[in-house]
Amino acid sequence: MRRVAPVGGTAVQDHVALAEIELCGDLIIAASAAHEDRLSLESIDEVLRVAEERDASGG
């Protein structure tokens, strides 16, 4: 017997996973638009909004 997920509003949303997927997409877009072979570490930090997170956490 095979079980399938019910259709309808029973899906669980993993907000952390969704945020990670969005960041990965942002990195892919930035990498495809880059004029160099690779993104610099500074560019990656900018795409991932590292400075914003650091400022928000008081670090």
Side-chain angles (χ1 to χ4, degrees), residues 4-24:
V4 269
V7 178
T10 60
V12 175
Q13 289 190 357
D14 185 339
H15 297 286
V16 173
L18 292 173
E20 289 177 357
I21 292 167
E22 182 178 348
L23 290 174
C24 286

Side-chain angles (χ1 to χ4, degrees), residues 21-42:
I21 292 167
E22 182 178 348
L23 290 174
C24 286
D26 292 345
L27 280 173
I28 292 168
I29 292 167
S32 67
H35 299 287
E36 300 172 14
D37 288 341
R38 296 179 179 208
L39 289 176
S40 67
L41 293 178
E42 292 82 16

